[in-house]
Amino acid sequence: MFIYGHWGLPELGGAGAGYATSITYWIIAGITAYIIKRQEPFSAYRVFSNFKKFSVEKCKEILKIGVPMGLSTFFETSMFAVVTILISKFSVTTIAAYQSALNIVSFLYMVPVSISLALTVLVGFEVGAKRYKDARAYSWLGISLSVIIALFTGLLVVLFRYKVAGFYSNELAVINLTAHFLIYALFFQISDAIQATAQAALRGYKDVNIAFITTLIAYWLICLPVGYLLAHFTTLGAPGYWIGLTSGLLAAGIGLAARLIYIQKRKFVSAELQRTEMFIKG
């Protein structure tokens, strides 16, 4: 309605999408506040009425976890933004095909994102209860599930890439190039699924600083340089950026998974053993 000026509203064009998005998030915030205030079991915690004063210590505790998490997300999203800018040097057909292919894989990425959100909650809950064995089981179950779904959806996209590309354009050149880009979708999806869920599990363990460094290296020191070199100094052209994106996501996935294995075997296994010994002695 805001974009095209329907129902008596002004025609705002692209800016209308911004207004609509802003209004939507304010509505979501209002509904969330209402549920916390009125609905059980959330209302029993009296979140708003128990807010007495601003705690600097509690704020620091949140920021120690939140800032590295936010920076990790920033490194990933900014990487895609920079690639979009760099690829604008190619033809209009290439830009359209890239945006179409990116939109498709971003849509499929919502599945591992959903699993990762659930994984953070479950792992954090089990770690908080000191059930480290269950936390480890949830971690790898979530990663495995995400990879299996990514493999399935990636194969479907590759097999039906021309039909999928046809949803975004009627021009044959754009469809063919989009379909060519989608060949990389399978490897892209699997790499993305690993890094998203491994990072989510680490957040459940409150281990965010190494993840922040890992994403910085993977996205800005591996992904962008590799993509730029392949795209501009080889005969690959624009597909070089897709190889760069995939290599960066794969590097992030390997690094984050390795960190997850390390903390599960070193930090939390030793804590679990100490707890067991204390139980036996008691």
Side-chain angles (χ1 to χ4, degrees):
M1 293 186 293
F2 280 108
I3 294 171
Y4 297 105
H6 295 316
W7 291 11
L9 293 171
E11 184 179 347
L12 300 174
Y19 283 109
T21 303
S22 179
I23 291 169
T24 299
Y25 278 113
W26 276 109
I27 291 172
I28 293 171
I31 293 171
T32 304
Y34 175 81
I35 291 172
I36 292 172
K37 181 72 175 177
R38 297 292 183 183
Q39 299 295 314
E40 292 289 345
F42 312 106
S43 59
Y45 295 103
R46 303 179 66 187
V47 173
F48 299 116
S49 58
N50 285 335
F51 188 78
K52 297 177 181 178
K53 62 179 181 178
F54 184 83
S55 173
V56 176
E57 291 302 319
K58 295 292 183 183
C59 185
K60 286 181 179 178
E61 186 179 351
I62 293 171
L63 290 174
K64 283 180 180 179
I65 300 173
V67 171
M69 287 172 58
L71 288 172
S72 297
T73 304
F74 168 76
F75 293 144
E76 183 177 2
T77 53
S78 60
M79 171 194 69
F80 283 99
V82 171
V83 170
T84 302
I85 294 171
L86 291 173
I87 214 165
S88 64
K89 295 181 179 179
F90 292 89
S91 65
V92 175
T93 300
T94 303
I95 297 169
Y98 170 77
Q99 287 297 119
S100 298
L102 186 62
N103 186 269
I104 293 165
V105 296
S106 297
F107 173 74
L108 296 174
Y109 177 61
M110 293 303 103
V111 177
V113 164
S114 301
I115 294 173
S116 70
L117 292 172
L119 200 56
T120 298
V121 175
L122 288 168
V123 172
F125 183 79
E126 297 300 333
V127 170
K130 301 187 185 302
R131 292 190 291 264
Y132 303 124
K133 185 178 180 181
D134 293 335
R136 186 165 58 251
Y138 275 126
S139 299
W140 295 106
L141 180 62
I143 292 172
S144 301
L145 180 62
S146 184
V147 169
I148 291 169
I149 294 174
L151 179 61
F152 177 73
T153 56
L155 284 171
L156 286 179
V157 167
V158 171
L159 290 173
F160 300 101
R161 58 187 181 276
Y162 288 99
K163 291 183 179 180
V164 174
F167 294 146
Y168 289 83
S169 177
N170 294 322
E171 296 186 17
L172 186 60
V174 175
I175 292 173
N176 288 334
L177 189 54
T178 303
H180 179 66
F181 285 157
L182 289 176
I183 294 174
Y184 302 96
L186 175 60
F187 307 101
F188 185 96
Q189 284 291 108
I190 293 173
S191 301
D192 217 2
I194 296 171
Q195 70 87 21
T197 45
Q199 187 168 190
L202 287 169
R203 288 172 178 173
Y205 284 101
K206 293 186 178 180
D207 190 90
V208 294
N209 292 323
I210 299 299
F212 147 67
I213 296 170
T214 302
T215 52
L216 171 61
I217 294 171
Y219 299 143
W220 283 89
L221 299 182
I222 295 177
C223 173
L224 285 176
V226 169
Y228 186 84
L229 290 172
L230 291 176
H232 296 277
F233 295 95
T234 69
T235 57
L236 286 171
Y241 280 114
W242 280 101
I243 297 174
L245 289 170
T246 304
S247 63
L249 291 170
L250 182 60
I254 293 171
L256 293 168
R259 177 63 180 176
L260 182 61
I261 293 170
Y262 172 80
I263 65 167
Q264 286 177 344
K265 286 188 175 181
R266 296 291 180 91
K267 290 188 176 182
F268 287 90
V269 167
S270 59
E272 192 170 16
L273 289 172
Q274 289 177 3
R275 186 183 170 206
T276 305
E277 288 175 359
M278 290 176 64
F279 177 78
I280 293 171
K281 290 178 182 179

